Amino acid sequence: MDENKLTLRTENRDDQTIVFVGGEFDLEVASRIRSALEPLIEMTDRRLTLNLQDLKYIDSTGIGILISVVKARHSRNAPFDVEQIPSHIRKLFEMTGISPFLKSDSPL
């Protein structure tokens, strides 16, 4: 696996954890992303936000992981949203029908 294919950076601000996701979010990096997000999903006292500003590509595996995070956070009554979604990724979210389930700072 090419470690440079995906970048993940976590930043804590007040009651929010922001995960900056860059590069390619696909099957090849799925286990790495799951491992990074699992402990954060359990932090129900903090808002979890994914910043996708530097995301270049996402496949069905990546979308599946997003949906599982949405479900997990919802079942725990914990806030989750995404921000700074690139337009080509936003179009894919619209086409796949997941847009209504993602809170975002930009129109989906």
Side-chain angles (χ1 to χ4, degrees):
M1 173 184 7
D2 182 2
E3 289 296 319
N4 295 322
K5 182 175 184 172
L6 173 77
T7 59
L8 291 174
R9 182 174 57 87
T10 302
E11 186 176 304
N12 290 309
R13 297 180 187 165
D14 300 322
D15 63 346
Q16 178 182 32
T17 298
I18 303 170
V19 179
F20 295 85
V21 182
E24 298 179 19
F25 188 166
D26 61 14
L27 178 62
E28 189 176 346
V29 298
S31 62
R32 184 172 162 211
I33 293 174
R34 280 192 193 103
S35 295
L37 293 179
E38 276 180 15
L40 302 176
I41 289 169
E42 300 301 323
M43 295 179 164
T44 58
D45 59 328
R46 302 181 63 76
R47 172 174 296 281
L48 176 58
T49 301
L50 295 185
N51 180 303
L52 305 182
Q53 179 178 0
D54 295 324
L55 188 64
K56 305 296 181 217
Y57 173 80
I58 188 168
D59 71 358
S60 59
T61 302
I63 290 173
I65 291 171
L66 279 180
I67 291 169
S68 68
V69 172
V70 168
K71 288 180 178 180
R73 295 292 287 185
H74 180 74
S75 72
R76 291 165 176 77
N77 256 352
F80 171 72
D81 55 21
V82 294
E83 65 183 15
Q84 298 186 1
I85 305 167
S87 60
H88 65 284
I89 303 292
R90 189 177 323 117
K91 287 177 189 174
L92 182 60
F93 289 171
E94 290 169 355
M95 289 178 6
T96 58
I98 69 167
S99 296
F101 305 101
L102 301 174
K103 288 185 173 182
S104 174
D105 66 345
S106 56
L108 289 174

